[in-house]
Amino acid sequence: MAATRRLGLESSSSRTALMDGVEAVMREDGYAALTARSVAERAGLKHQLVYYYFQTMDDLLMATYQRHIARVEQQIEDAFRQPRPLHAFWEVCSNPHDARLNMEFMAMANHNDAIRAETITFGERLRRIGLDRVTALIEATPAGREMFSAFAVTQALAAIGSNVGIETTLGIHGGHEETRAMVAWWLDKLEPA
Amino acid sequence: MAATRRLGLESSSSRTALMDGVEAVMREDGYAALTARSVAERAGLKHQLVYYYFQTMDDLLMATYQRHIARVEQQIEDAFRQPRPLHAFWEVCSNPHDARLNMEFMAMANHNDAIRAETITFGERLRRIGLDRVTALIEATPAGREMFSAFAVTQALAAIGSNVGIETTLGIHGGHEETRAMVAWWLDKLEPA
DNA sequence: GTCTATAATCAGATAGAC
DNA sequence: GTCTATCTGATTATAGAC
């Protein structure tokens, strides 16, 4: 509906503040708490401004998601350029601050068609980042050759990292030291100092 | 509010139907779509019945969560009684049907204090189920002794399993065969046929 | 146990003044 | 660019008839 309303400029600081507000609300209260009013309040603006900068609430969410995705992709690309790429990749994946937001977007993707489509193409794209470097690493060590594909190793790291990150934000801490120790042991085997 | 309304019996089939409705809505449309109307419609009942069987919507959600938790706990206890407990545990954890619901409850836990408290105690309790059996298994094989604690191994299995399950329901399939192959290879090393 | 009717509140979205 | 005022519809929850 209403595809023909004038919109504010993309360079506006209020527009950016609204997207920051979306992320803040999602982190603190979850995606279900996202309303034009809650987002604008977090940004220190009136809720009607949402409809000056975006056609619909969904448009605001999508813009925020695309900004978030671009940032995560950049972080992962940077990680794979480090001297020990898997160590750096693990740091990115196990970061609790992003784990929380990632989970909220994942949950949103389950019932928002546009967000899901974006998530799927992003997921497929992510798998290919730095894959050649990881493959070379894995082929270079005896432990690595035993452990199957670079795909599987990076997926396992991402899964364990996000799980530890999510549990940390929830307030579950038991067993994390042991899990982190196991991951560190494997990483050191694949990427000796 | 309203702590003094008469309530229907716990044995009522309508009460059960409402809890089934909660799970159906969460799976299909996410927890944000949970309203007295959406739940009752899924159950084939009028929305006012929610308030005959539960004091508030939150009470209905908590009752449904506790029923879900009890079921998962039972599944995991059963798994650890199988001949190859880690193989069975992996099957439970990587089941897409439950992965989806688990993630929705996890996301809910982030902004619902009662659900979060329940999640934390449940998470800590889960870690102790079958831990003695896994510890014995791990100590019994050379690969196991190398790989640190039973805690870490079960947490890694749970993390990878739920991640694969969630991605499957989202429609992301790339790389899963390789990940499943890697897990199967490890499981066979720890629990030979 | 189930329904009709209703109260109070909050949501997304728009029109138009300044 | 930002605000006041407003419309429409959905939400939780209650009272009370049957």
Side-chain angles (χ1 to χ4, degrees):
Chain A
M1 11 238 124
T4 50
R5 205 179 338 110
R6 72 196 168 123
L7 288 187
L9 296 175
E10 288 205 15
S11 57
S12 160
S13 68
S14 289
R15 203 187 116 106
T16 303
L18 288 171
M19 292 195 285
D20 293 342
V22 168
E23 291 191 0
V25 170
M26 285 177 81
R27 267 191 249 271
E28 290 163 39
D29 304 318
Y31 77 86
L34 287 171
T35 66
R37 286 162 173 87
S38 69
V39 167
E41 187 184 7
R42 204 73 54 131
L45 301 168
K46 300 284 175 176
H47 67 273
Q48 294 91 335
L49 275 191
V50 167
Y51 301 98
Y52 174 65
Y53 286 104
F54 302 91
Q55 295 286 2
T56 63
M57 268 299 285
D58 272 355
D59 285 353
L60 166 57
L61 299 186
M62 179 55 82
T64 308
Y65 188 45
Q66 284 170 336
R67 189 184 67 162
H68 172 68
I69 276 179
R71 260 187 323 223
V72 171
E73 195 164 350
Q74 190 60 53
Q75 280 176 24
I76 292 176
E77 276 175 1
D78 289 348
F80 280 119
R81 278 195 214 94
Q82 298 297 311
R84 295 207 286 178
L86 285 179
H87 280 80
F89 179 66
W90 166 252
E91 287 305 317
V92 172
C93 290
S94 63
N95 166 12
H97 197 249
D98 277 351
R100 172 68 200 277
L101 199 54
N102 283 332
M103 186 182 60
E104 291 292 338
F105 275 122
M106 273 282 222
M108 243 177 81
N110 272 317
H111 61 95
N112 180 319
D113 293 341
I115 298 280
R116 181 170 56 247
E118 200 75 12
T119 302
I120 291 173
T121 63
F122 177 57
E124 304 288 2
R125 199 160 69 245
L126 267 193
R127 293 182 200 298
R128 274 168 224 119
I129 298 178
L131 202 67
D132 44 345
R133 283 208 65 184
V134 180
T135 303
L137 264 169
I138 284 181
E139 295 294 322
T141 67
R145 277 192 296 280
E146 265 192 318
M147 277 190 70
F148 292 72
S149 75
F151 251 179
V153 172
T154 53
Q155 189 159 37
L157 280 175
I160 297 169
S162 79
N163 202 61
V164 169
I166 288 165
E167 289 195 0
T168 299
T169 61
L170 268 181
I172 302 176
H173 302 288
H176 288 175
E177 307 77 22
E178 291 174 70
T179 301
R180 286 184 180 275
M182 185 178 81
V183 171
W185 182 81
W186 271 110
L187 289 174
D188 285 342
K189 256 196 148 175
L190 292 167
E191 290 175 343
Chain B
M1 9 232 123
T4 50
R5 203 174 344 107
R6 72 195 169 121
L7 288 186
L9 296 175
E10 288 206 15
S11 57
S12 159
S13 67
S14 289
R15 203 186 115 106
T16 304
L18 288 170
M19 293 195 284
D20 293 342
V22 168
E23 292 191 358
V25 170
M26 286 177 81
R27 267 191 248 272
E28 290 163 36
D29 303 319
Y31 76 86
L34 286 172
T35 66
R37 281 164 171 84
S38 67
V39 168
E41 189 183 8
R42 205 72 53 133
L45 300 169
K46 300 283 176 176
H47 66 273
Q48 294 92 335
L49 276 191
V50 167
Y51 301 98
Y52 175 65
Y53 286 104
F54 302 92
Q55 294 286 2
T56 63
M57 268 298 286
D58 271 355
D59 285 351
L60 166 56
L61 299 186
M62 179 56 84
T64 308
Y65 188 45
Q66 284 170 337
R67 190 185 65 161
H68 171 68
I69 277 178
R71 258 187 325 221
V72 171
E73 195 164 350
Q74 190 58 55
Q75 279 176 25
I76 292 176
E77 276 174 1
D78 290 347
F80 279 119
R81 278 196 215 95
Q82 298 297 311
R84 297 207 284 178
L86 285 179
H87 280 81
F89 179 67
W90 166 253
E91 287 305 317
V92 172
C93 290
S94 63
N95 166 10
H97 196 249
D98 277 350
R100 171 67 198 278
L101 199 54
N102 283 332
M103 185 181 61
E104 291 292 336
F105 275 122
M106 274 281 221
M108 242 176 82
N110 273 316
H111 61 96
N112 181 317
D113 292 341
I115 298 280
R116 180 170 57 248
E118 199 74 13
T119 302
I120 291 173
T121 63
F122 176 56
E124 305 287 2
R125 198 162 68 246
L126 267 193
R127 292 182 201 297
R128 272 166 228 122
I129 297 178
L131 203 66
D132 44 347
R133 283 210 63 184
V134 180
T135 302
L137 264 169
I138 284 182
E139 295 293 323
T141 67
R145 278 191 296 281
E146 264 191 320
M147 277 189 72
F148 291 73
S149 76
F151 251 1
V153 172
T154 54
Q155 189 159 38
L157 280 176
I160 297 169
S162 79
N163 202 61
V164 169
I166 288 164
E167 289 196 1
T168 299
T169 60
L170 267 181
I172 302 177
H173 301 289
H176 287 176
E177 305 78 22
E178 292 173 70
T179 302
R180 285 184 181 274
M182 186 178 80
V183 171
W185 183 80
W186 271 110
L187 289 175
D188 285 342
K189 254 194 151 174
L190 292 166
E191 291 175 343

